[in-house]
Amino acid sequence: MKKVVMRSLKKSWNARIYPNTITFDADINIQLITGPNMSGKSTYMRQLALTVIMAQWVLRSC
């Protein structure tokens, strides 16, 4: 499914698409998210928060 979505976005926008990637390390205490208005910073932060919550939920249920 991801490949289909990425392919259709590239075809319709004719632009490069940069995936959201993040690395959680014990060595990194803070990460700075920058970008222009309406660029998806809040959505990105919600996605990260949900990922952390889901990971904690899975670890507690094991």
Side-chain angles (χ1 to χ4, degrees), residues 2-3 5-6 11-12 15 18-20 22 26-28 34 39 42 45-46 48 50 52-53 56 58-60 62:
K2 182 180 177 182
K3 289 181 181 181
V5 172
M6 295 298 283
K11 185 185 281 187
S12 64
Y18 298 97
N20 291 336
I22 189 151
D27 299 334
I28 300 172
T34 63
S39 63
S42 296
M45 290 172 50
R46 275 189 228 106
L48 296 175
L50 185 58
V52 170
I53 291 169
Q56 290 175 354
V58 168
L59 289 175
R60 288 186 180 164
C62 290

Side-chain angles (χ1 to χ4, degrees), residues 33-48:
I33 301 172
T34 63
N37 293 340
M38 302 294 291
S39 63
K41 296 180 297 287
S42 296
T43 303
Y44 187 61
M45 290 172 50
R46 275 189 228 106
Q47 176 186 352
L48 296 175

